[in-house]
Amino acid sequence: LAKMLKCLEHKQSSSDFVNFQAVKMIFLLQKGANINALDINGHTSLYYAVEIQDIENIIFLQRQKQNLH
């Protein structure tokens, strides 16, 4: 996490930023965040994962949603 924070501070690459976002998402979900929560634009985490074609997180989010049922 510290390495990702450092990369974000120095804006080294967009893939580092995506990875940082993934770490934050996983942390929040582990702490009980609502996987179906909408942001101010009406979008979910899954929407953004699809938008940036982040296959790993698309699969992760789909599995998390399945575990709710």
Side-chain angles (χ1 to χ4, degrees):
L1 181 59
K3 180 182 175 188
M4 288 183 189
L5 284 170
K6 193 174 215 177
C7 289
L8 184 61
E9 288 171 8
H10 297 300
K11 299 179 183 172
Q12 290 180 345
S13 76
S14 62
S15 66
D16 290 332
F17 180 74
V18 170
N19 291 336
F20 177 73
Q21 295 301 327
V23 168
K24 288 194 320 186
M25 177 186 62
I26 292 167
F27 173 79
L28 292 170
L29 290 172
Q30 288 174 341
K31 295 297 182 183
N34 179 358
I35 196 165
N36 296 311
L38 303 175
D39 67 5
I40 60 172
N41 297 313
H43 303 304
T44 64
S45 299
L46 182 58
Y47 172 88
Y48 290 108
V50 170
E51 185 175 278
I52 62 172
Q53 300 175 8
D54 185 349
I55 302 301
E56 288 181 36
N57 280 313
I58 292 168
I59 293 168
F60 172 78
L61 288 164
Q62 287 294 349
R63 287 184 180 153
Q64 294 300 310
K65 286 186 174 206
Q66 289 173 354
N67 290 338
L68 293 176
H69 301 291

